[in-house]
Amino acid sequence: MEEVHVPRKTAMRDQVLAARRRRPLAESAEDARLLAQHLLAAPPVRRAATVAAYVSTGREPGTGVLLDALRESGRRVLLPVLLPDGDLDWATYDGPGTLVSARRGLLEPVGPRLGVEAITRADAVLVPGLAVSSTGMRLGRGGGSYDRALTRVPADVWTCVLLHPDEVGLDVPAQAHDRAVRAVATSQGVQSLDPLSPGA
């Protein structure tokens, strides 16, 4: 079963990444502003004292506006640091001037490392992805970093993938190690996902 899904996932990744490359750069800033606006208004984020998030790269939905707004509102923001084994350590975000270039074209915080378990202390967890199904199955880039991190997140914590609108509701193949998310946020709004709906 796992082997059957791998080629389908690879093909879907290729399709989404190709579509992202065609996205007009002119729309990116407004989309990032709208995404931040929707997430800041979402009850799980409004209630959160600590939010785990990430720094967007390339044609991912932009998170720069969101990260600064979360920090300015007094929330603690945790950002990932990619470890050599592909797992994620975490550090506190202290502003755009405290990010440095890292492997795989990523930007990472320079602050003290808090350990892989730091994500367990977040009240809301925002993750990257390439697509998501109606049941919350998220398509990542294939490294498994976020699947590992999400296994540490308590079941009652809100997890949300950030995507472009046309990447929502796709038929994402699921493998045993995949971890579902509870919501998706786009420039059009925040939508809950139902892991118990037909086809789950």
Side-chain angles (χ1 to χ4, degrees):
M1 180 177 171
E2 296 257 325
E3 293 77 9
V4 173
H5 287 323
V6 171
R8 286 181 58 204
K9 279 190 164 184
T10 301
M12 184 175 281
R13 282 190 191 101
D14 290 345
Q15 291 168 4
V16 173
L17 289 170
R20 283 189 173 184
R21 285 192 290 272
R22 294 191 295 269
R23 300 189 73 85
L25 275 175
E27 298 174 2
S28 299
E30 177 64 6
D31 286 350
R33 186 189 68 78
L34 290 170
L35 180 67
Q37 180 180 304
H38 294 311
L39 278 166
L40 291 167
V45 175
R46 284 208 318 266
R47 292 192 296 263
T50 299
V51 177
Y54 65 97
V55 182
S56 58
T57 61
R59 298 297 179 89
E60 290 180 330
T63 61
V65 175
L66 173 66
L67 296 178
D68 289 336
L70 287 169
R71 182 170 171 268
E72 287 162 12
S73 68
R75 292 173 179 83
R76 184 185 193 210
V77 180
L78 302 179
L79 295 180
V81 177
L82 185 65
L83 296 172
D85 66 356
D87 209 341
L88 297 178
D89 201 336
W90 299 87
T92 302
Y93 177 56
D94 289 319
T98 63
L99 298 174
V100 295
S101 297
R103 292 180 300 135
R104 300 187 192 175
L106 300 174
L107 288 173
E108 296 178 344
V110 297
R113 303 300 183 249
L114 304 174
V116 297
E117 297 295 328
I119 195 172
T120 66
R121 298 188 286 278
D123 305 304
V125 176
L126 309 178
V127 300
L130 295 175
V132 74
S133 72
S134 60
T135 60
M137 295 313 303
R138 171 190 152 273
L139 179 70
R141 290 183 177 267
S145 299
Y146 273 92
D147 287 315
R148 290 163 75 176
L150 287 169
T151 63
R152 303 183 179 107
V153 177
D156 61 339
V157 171
W158 192 69
T159 54
C160 180
V161 61
L162 279 51
L163 297 173
H164 298 293
D166 57 355
E167 298 164 354
V168 178
L170 304 186
D171 182 18
V172 176
Q175 293 172 265
H177 64 267
D178 292 333
R179 293 294 174 264
V181 292
R182 296 173 60 180
V184 56
T186 73
S187 58
Q188 296 178 355
V190 178
Q191 172 187 339
S192 293
L193 301 169
D194 184 4
L196 301 178
S197 67

